[in-house]
Amino acid sequence: MAHKSEHRSRSPLSSLLRLPAGPVDLAGYDPEASPGYPGEGKQDADAMRLALEPELSDLQERLYAAGRSDPEHAPNLLVILQGLDTSGKGGVIRHAIGLVDPQGVQLKAFKAPSKDELAHHYLWRIRNAVPGRGMIGIFDRSQYEDVLVVRVESLVPESEWSKRYAEINEFEAELAAGGTTIIKCMLHISSDEQKQRLAERLDDPTKYWKYNPGDVDVRLKWAAYQEAYEAALELCNTEAAPWHLVPSNKKWYRDWAVAELLREKLAGLDLGWPAAEFDVAVEQQRVAAS
Ligand code: AMP
Ligand code: MG
């Protein structure tokens, strides 16, 4: 038994980052950590991330091909990115999701709901954005805003938002049962790191556009947001749609980690290539004779 660990392959990143069931204390998770990172550190992070590109591309193409050949039943994948301002949702989309063919990616950023959206159930706009078969969907914010900002800012009464956790679980279970692999990532940063990133945006005229004065007002409610996140992470951490906590103070780790999670989940689909729906030999002859 003592030798067994030497022969065991590295634990999948998804199991290292998966939040265990039960109450969540975010303060107990180090945002500086880099669990499962296979290299030395920042100096080799670009290389580690880019090394995932060939396999990610191949897997994504298989998924896309499955969607083309069986538009009703092919699997799809949904990456849900949540995290406070400056946690790096945009960076992950550029550096991790950017490794795959954009034709196979359906990206949706959720902002404060429009008048039209507010007239519907909060899940209406979410359902409308679910990726098609064979696609990789990316949610930059998601249904979780409806139990995060909505809870902290009391945009609806507690009697209403408190019902949403169960509703979200039901919605996600339904998606999973329909063949969608859901990868939920909470990008975990520290308060000091957020302060530094906001300050950097003000030090650099090329970053002013990213700065939103309202982010400081949100920041002042740090404790309330941590609490709201802890509730969402605890109450919506299901087998069908588990939460992953991605330590995100190190941008290079965060980007590598999400790319690796995506690679693992795509590989887990075990997709082959669709068989030809024509006689290959006959078609070869026809092409040769044409
Ligand atoms: P950003 O991601 O920085 O472009 O900001 C989007 C803003 O939209 C954030 O302040 C979110 O809190 C807000 N937002 C997203 N979804 C909702 C929602 N369901 N209700 C209220 N505000 C939301
Ligand atoms: Mg913002």
Side-chain angles (χ1 to χ4, degrees):
M1 291 299 278
H3 297 284
K4 214 173 170 188
S5 64
E6 292 170 27
H7 301 288
R8 201 167 44 207
S9 58
R10 208 196 302 274
S11 308
L13 187 65
S14 50
S15 59
L16 291 177
L17 298 185
R18 164 105 203 242
L19 260 186
V24 178
D25 176 16
L26 278 172
Y29 291 92
D30 180 8
E32 293 285 345
S34 48
Y37 183 69
E40 296 298 318
K42 186 176 184 173
Q43 66 272 26
D44 52 22
D46 278 344
M48 289 293 165
R49 183 174 48 81
L50 294 173
L52 299 172
E53 197 268 340
E55 191 182 348
L56 265 174
S57 280
D58 174 76
L59 291 166
Q60 186 271 329
E61 196 176 348
R62 287 169 193 257
L63 181 66
Y64 191 79
R68 290 294 288 267
S69 79
D70 190 353
E72 292 205 5
H73 308 99
N76 55 1
L77 212 128
L78 175 59
V79 180
I80 294 181
L81 298 174
Q82 281 291 160
L84 292 168
D85 294 312
T86 76
S87 62
K89 300 180 290 291
V92 161
I93 292 168
R94 189 161 56 247
H95 296 114
I97 309 306
L99 295 171
V100 305
D101 186 344
Q103 294 177 93
V105 174
Q106 235 172 289
L107 177 63
K108 176 72 186 175
F110 290 99
K111 309 291 180 187
S114 66
K115 236 180 163 179
D116 196 33
E117 288 171 336
L118 279 174
H120 291 87
H121 187 269
Y122 70 96
L123 287 176
W124 177 77
R125 66 175 186 163
I126 307 291
R127 288 184 190 278
N128 285 341
V130 165
R133 299 280 143 197
M135 298 294 286
I136 297 174
I138 311 295
F139 283 1
D140 172 352
R141 304 185 190 265
S142 66
Q143 61 272 25
Y144 286 99
E145 292 295 324
D146 295 288
V147 289
L148 292 167
V149 60
V150 167
R151 170 175 164 155
V152 172
E153 300 295 342
S154 302
L155 300 180
V156 303
E158 176 168 0
S159 57
E160 201 157 320
W161 59 249
S162 62
K163 291 186 300 194
R164 293 183 173 178
Y165 301 98
E167 241 168 31
I168 289 172
N169 286 341
E170 209 173 300
F171 164 68
E172 292 177 356
E174 185 190 306
L175 275 188
T180 303
T181 299
I182 303 171
I183 311 178
K184 296 192 298 201
C185 296
M186 194 272 184
L187 307 182
H188 179 45
I189 53 166
S190 63
S191 171
D192 286 351
E193 182 69 22
Q194 185 188 56
K195 186 171 190 164
Q196 196 179 319
R197 291 182 187 180
L198 287 172
E200 274 166 19
R201 289 180 181 183
L202 292 172
D203 284 344
D204 178 354
T206 71
K207 290 187 178 175
Y208 290 167
W209 68 274
K210 288 193 192 184
Y211 185 84
N212 173 2
D215 292 349
V216 182
D217 303 302
V218 173
R219 175 171 166 74
L220 290 170
K221 296 175 182 165
W222 183 270
Y225 272 97
Q226 295 301 110
E227 199 184 318
Y229 262 100
E230 288 171 348
L233 293 168
E234 175 185 352
L235 300 173
C236 299
N237 191 15
T238 60
E239 278 307 313
W243 272 111
H244 300 89
L245 198 70
V246 181
S248 295
N249 273 16
K250 293 183 164 79
K251 295 176 181 176
W252 56 264
Y253 173 76
R254 172 200 73 198
D255 295 340
W256 170 81
V258 175
E260 170 61 13
L261 277 178
L262 182 60
R263 189 203 61 75
E264 272 178 21
K265 296 292 177 179
L266 277 170
L269 295 176
D270 209 13
L271 292 166
W273 292 101
E277 287 166 357
F278 43 83
D279 185 323
V280 176
V282 168
E283 294 306 311
Q284 281 170 335
Q285 280 172 9
R286 291 183 62 226
V287 170
S290 65

